Amino acid sequence: MNAYMTAGTFDFLKKIEAKYPNDLMVTMINENNALLFHETAGETVFNEPRKFEELLSIGEMKKEGFVVLNNVPVTDEGKAVFEHQVKNQIITVKSQQGFLAVRVLRPLTSSQYVIMTVWKDEASYQAWQSSQTFFDVSKLTGMDSQAKIFSSAPYVSKYMITDK
């Protein structure tokens, strides 16, 4: 499965989403910008997308929830190790209360992987942050001694999926 992301104004992205009701597109927003996620077996309609291949897909993307994007720049040498670790560890998140979906996205045009988790609400995400599972998974995104597989520091972006 392919995944694409593009940024823009919320209203503009909602118009794109509405224009393609048969495609899985989800618009999300935070205090800085809006993002449109498109999941498809084919190509995207976006003019300038970030392009990904889905390594792991758990749960259904819906038009609601709190989204956390872990952006992880990985070196070419570190990709195999990173992907192996992510596939083995990230599935543990599905048992967390308030968890809705996860997508592990391999970049096709850059070195930045994205681990997208979708939660019922921000409180569910914060509860997970206090868990041992979060500690185990966070080691995959550069918070441990394996910095040699990362090309720069990972960062997190948070969004709300909303129609308003």
Side-chain angles (χ1 to χ4, degrees):
M1 186 69 69
N2 299 316
Y4 304 92
M5 290 186 213
T6 193
T9 66
F10 181 77
D11 292 337
F12 178 74
L13 297 178
K14 286 306 280 183
K15 287 178 186 174
I16 295 172
E17 181 182 349
K19 191 174 178 179
Y20 299 94
N22 296 327
D23 286 4
L24 177 58
M25 291 190 185
V26 177
T27 305
M28 49 193 92
I29 191 167
N30 67 18
E31 63 278 354
N32 298 317
N33 66 348
L35 189 70
L36 183 55
F37 175 77
H38 183 200
E39 189 173 65
T40 179
E43 292 295 316
T44 189
V45 298
F46 302 160
N47 289 330
E48 296 183 31
R50 290 173 56 196
K51 300 175 183 181
F52 302 91
E53 174 185 7
E54 289 185 0
L55 291 178
L56 183 65
S57 174
I58 299 172
E60 184 180 341
M61 291 292 297
K62 297 185 179 182
K63 307 267 182 182
E64 62 187 10
F66 181 74
V67 180
V68 179
L69 301 176
N70 286 283
N71 301 274
V72 187
V74 178
T75 64
D76 286 341
E77 299 81 16
K79 287 181 179 181
V81 171
F82 178 77
E83 290 180 12
H84 176 74
Q85 288 179 337
V86 167
K87 286 179 184 177
N88 288 328
Q89 289 292 323
I90 200 69
I91 60 171
T92 61
V93 74
K94 69 182 181 179
S95 63
Q96 299 300 304
Q97 187 163 341
F99 168 81
L100 299 176
V102 65
R103 299 295 185 270
V104 178
L105 307 175
R106 175 193 291 145
L108 297 179
T109 57
S110 74
S111 65
Q112 188 166 295
Y113 285 74
V114 174
I115 302 171
M116 176 172 37
T117 54
V118 184
W119 302 89
K120 178 183 164 196
D121 51 30
E122 188 171 5
S124 297
Y125 171 71
Q126 290 173 344
W128 178 60
Q129 281 187 303
S130 302
S131 72
Q132 180 63 39
T133 303
F134 177 80
F135 176 75
D136 294 341
V137 172
S138 68
K139 290 192 293 186
L140 299 173
T141 58
M143 296 178 206
D144 71 349
S145 62
Q146 298 184 14
K148 59 186 167 279
I149 71 171
F150 304 108
S151 57
S152 61
Y155 65 95
V156 174
S157 305
K158 299 174 184 175
Y159 293 85
M160 287 298 301
I161 299 172
T162 181
D163 282 333
K164 300 170 180 84

